[in-house]
């Protein structure tokens, strides 16, 4: 019974917002009557809620529980001041993500309404091989994780997507050596990005941050110093939290000068007081 209920919840993974009864039955392979019965129990518990058109959507109870996870209450909360400063500096999309299975899982994304259109939102997934943040995550991952991705067929999303394992392996090695990864119109035409891995997570899966911008705004590596500096600052802040009690809502930072436009000290103190969008 638990397996059937979790399969219904799993159907909302990725970018799905709401699903009809028939959609859930097809996605789970369960009879519609079973989905209807378990869906009703999940609605009563608060894990799902009914939509105006009679479908199902993720309920507040799941959101409430997810905010207690380390990724929300730890990684995201510590990272937000630095992400906000990076956004104020670039006025482009700024993303925080972790590697989950064979995908990039977006934990947070800050965007300007006028920024270039992109794929992905918090809670959504992106391909590892076709994004700068994915390549940064691969560069920070174990060799067996890299081998698993390199051994799979690499989907071409645009004419610029790297689909040869040999080339992707070289780009991941370059990202590891120089400390940042680049993507040029590989997932979406007209969109480029620069990303860096966050270190200091211990046994937790790799994390990374990125700036995503229009291709006509200049080469993405111009933000490499700012991105790597922010990632390093997040890593230091997370390291300082190791062994402490649950991370609270206070802003976490390190003393130093604020990074700006490709120049700045290695340390960076966040200047914004907000931790939410």
């Amino acid at each position: 019974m638990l397996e059937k209920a979790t399969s219904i919840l799993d159907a909302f993974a990725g970018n799905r917002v709401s699903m009809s009864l028939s959609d859930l039955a097809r996605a789970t392979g369960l009879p519609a009557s079973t989905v209807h019965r378990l869906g009703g129990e999940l609605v009563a518990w608060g894990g799902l809620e009914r939509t105006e058109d009679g479908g199902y959507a993720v309920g507040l109870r799941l959101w409430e529980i997810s905010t207690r996870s380390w990724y929300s209450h730890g990684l995201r909360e510590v990272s937000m001041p630095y992400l906000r400063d990076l956004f104020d500096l670039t006025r482009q999309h700024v993303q925080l993500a972790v590697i989950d299975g064979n995908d990039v899982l977006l934990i947070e994304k800050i965007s300007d309404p006028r920024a270039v259109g992109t794929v992905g939102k918090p809670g959504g997934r992106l391909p590892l091989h076709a994004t700068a943040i994915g390549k940064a995550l691969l560069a920070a991952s174990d060799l067996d994780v890299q081998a698993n991705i390199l051994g799979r067929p690499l989907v071409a999303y645009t004419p610029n997507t790297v689909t040869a394992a040999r080339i992707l392996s070289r780009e991941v090695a370059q990202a590891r050596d120089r400390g940042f990864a680049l993507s040029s119109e590989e997932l979406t035409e007209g969109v480029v990005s620069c990303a860096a891995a966050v270190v200091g997570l211990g046994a937790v899966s790799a994390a990374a941050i990125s700036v995503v911008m229009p291709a006509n705004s200049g080469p993405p590596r111009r933000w490499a110093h700012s991105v790597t500096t922010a990632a390093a600052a997040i890593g230091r802040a997370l390291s300082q939290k190791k062994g402490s009690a649950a991370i609270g809502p206070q802003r976490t930072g390190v003393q130093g000068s604020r990074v700006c436009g490709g120049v700045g000290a290695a340390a960076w103190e966040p200047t914004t007081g907000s931790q939410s969008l």
Side-chain angles (χ1 to χ4, degrees):
M1 189 64 67
L2 178 61
E3 182 179 359
K4 293 178 181 179
T6 54
S7 70
I8 292 175
L9 296 177
D10 282 340
F12 289 91
N15 295 319
R16 295 186 178 96
V17 176
S18 64
M19 301 181 72
S20 66
L21 177 63
S22 58
D23 288 338
L24 282 171
R26 283 192 296 269
T28 61
L30 297 172
S33 59
T34 300
V35 173
H36 183 269
R37 176 171 54 81
L38 292 178
E41 293 179 7
L42 288 169
V43 169
W45 174 67
L48 294 179
E49 59 184 33
R50 300 304 299 266
T51 60
E52 291 183 359
D53 60 2
Y56 296 87
V58 173
L60 285 176
R61 188 69 175 272
L62 285 182
W63 174 83
E64 179 184 9
I65 292 173
S66 70
T67 61
R68 302 318 196 260
S69 75
W70 185 86
Y71 293 107
S72 292
H73 199 55
L75 175 61
R76 178 187 176 278
E77 197 161 295
V78 169
S79 301
M80 277 305 295
Y82 305 98
L83 298 179
R84 177 62 70 178
D85 269 1
L86 189 58
F87 169 74
D88 289 341
L89 177 67
T90 64
R91 306 310 296 183
Q92 305 291 347
H93 301 286
V94 173
Q95 301 179 141
L96 169 69
V98 297
I99 188 169
D100 184 48
N102 300 317
D103 303 311
V104 174
L105 177 62
L106 288 178
I107 302 299
E108 184 57 86
K109 182 175 183 178
I110 306 177
S111 302
D112 189 290
R114 296 164 295 181
V116 63
T118 60
V119 177
K121 56 186 177 181
R125 293 175 180 268
L126 299 173
L128 282 162
H129 70 284
T131 58
I133 202 165
K135 295 175 187 178
L137 287 168
L138 282 174
S141 299
D142 295 335
L143 292 179
D144 58 340
V145 175
Q146 297 179 21
N148 179 50
I149 298 301
L150 293 170
R152 293 171 172 267
L154 301 176
V155 178
Y157 296 94
T158 75
N160 296 312
T161 307
V162 174
T163 57
R166 173 180 53 83
I167 298 176
L168 178 60
S169 178
R170 184 173 67 238
E171 291 195 3
V172 169
Q174 289 175 341
R176 183 173 58 253
D177 292 341
R178 67 191 178 191
F180 63 91
L182 301 172
S183 176
S184 181
E185 302 186 76
E186 294 182 44
L187 181 61
T188 306
E189 292 189 64
V191 178
V192 299
S193 56
C194 178
V198 175
V199 297
L201 303 184
V204 179
S205 300
I209 64 172
S210 69
V211 173
V212 183
M213 65 211 83
N216 61 11
S217 66
R221 68 181 303 139
R222 70 192 180 102
W223 294 115
H225 180 81
S226 302
V227 172
T228 55
T229 301
I234 292 171
R236 284 193 296 272
L238 288 168
S239 296
Q240 292 172 3
K241 286 292 183 181
K242 284 183 179 179
S244 65
I247 298 175
Q250 284 76 21
R251 187 180 68 182
T252 302
V254 290
Q255 297 300 316
S257 62
R258 177 175 176 154
V259 75
C260 59
V263 295
W268 179 17
E269 180 181 11
T271 58
T272 124
S274 173
Q275 295 199 45
S276 59
L277 296 180

